[in-house]
Structure formats: structure tokens, C-alpha cells
Amino acid sequence: MKKNCNNLSIFPLCKFWNKNALTPPSGEPVDIIFLDPPYDSDLLNESLQLIYSQKESFKNTLVYIEYRKTPDLTNYSILKQAKAGVVKSALIQLAHN
């Protein structure tokens, strides 16, 4: 990602966090979150619930997820989906009710 930002000449505008998904960055707006937890864990659902619990902070944040078993996306809008073999991916955002 850093290389892509550098190639696009936007590196000074980018900030990167490599954190546990259950401790998302706070205090500043986040444009996109990438979630790719171990497939046999419940970390994806836990992470999505945590983001939803802080929905005011993440209302405009895009979330990219990879999964095998479809997570609970009740509070999210699916913007785009793809599949590569048994792995699925989606770009989602908190639903604006």
C-alpha cells in the first residue's frame, strides 16, 4: 500500500496503522479499513460489531473484508463483492439509515 501511495504521489496524505482489528484507530477520520482475519475465527464479526459500535467515528469509512463464511452484515451496505476460489471479498460501508 505504501508503494502504491508513493507511485500515486499521495504518500504525504496517507497514514497507515497495522493494528489488531479490535483496537481501531481513533481520533482522526479513517478512509478505509482492511480486515483479513484468520478464516476460522470470529474476529471479522467482532471487528464489524466494534466498528458499528463507534458508528459516528466510522460513518464515512470504507471497509474491505476477506472471508470464507459470510459475516453478519446487517448494519452494512455492500458496495462491491468478488470471489477467488473459496475466498470472498467485499467493500462495505456502514448503512446510512
Side-chain angles (χ1 to χ4, degrees), residues 1-19 32 34:
M1 289 191 52
K2 291 179 181 180
K3 183 178 177 183
N4 288 338
C5 287
N6 194 44
N7 289 342
L8 294 169
S9 300
I10 61 170
F11 194 83
L13 302 173
C14 299
K15 293 183 182 178
F16 302 91
W17 291 273
N18 185 7
K19 298 184 84 169
I32 189 163
F34 292 88

Side-chain angles (χ1 to χ4, degrees), residues 3-74:
K3 183 178 177 183
N4 288 338
C5 287
N6 194 44
N7 289 342
L8 294 169
S9 300
I10 61 170
F11 194 83
L13 302 173
C14 299
K15 293 183 182 178
F16 302 91
W17 291 273
N18 185 7
K19 298 184 84 169
N20 179 314
L22 299 178
T23 56
S26 61
E28 295 185 42
V30 176
D31 295 318
I32 189 163
I33 296 173
F34 292 88
L35 297 175
D36 184 15
Y39 296 125
D40 294 330
S41 74
D42 200 39
L43 285 174
L44 183 55
N45 279 318
E46 290 177 39
S47 299
L48 293 173
Q49 289 171 1
L50 181 67
I51 291 167
Y52 179 73
S53 74
Q54 300 176 35
K55 59 186 168 193
E56 282 305 310
S57 298
F58 298 108
K59 62 185 174 186
N60 296 314
T61 301
L62 297 173
V63 182
Y64 173 83
I65 58 175
E66 289 191 357
Y67 55 93
R68 286 188 183 163
K69 179 182 172 192
T70 303
D72 179 6
L73 298 174
T74 303

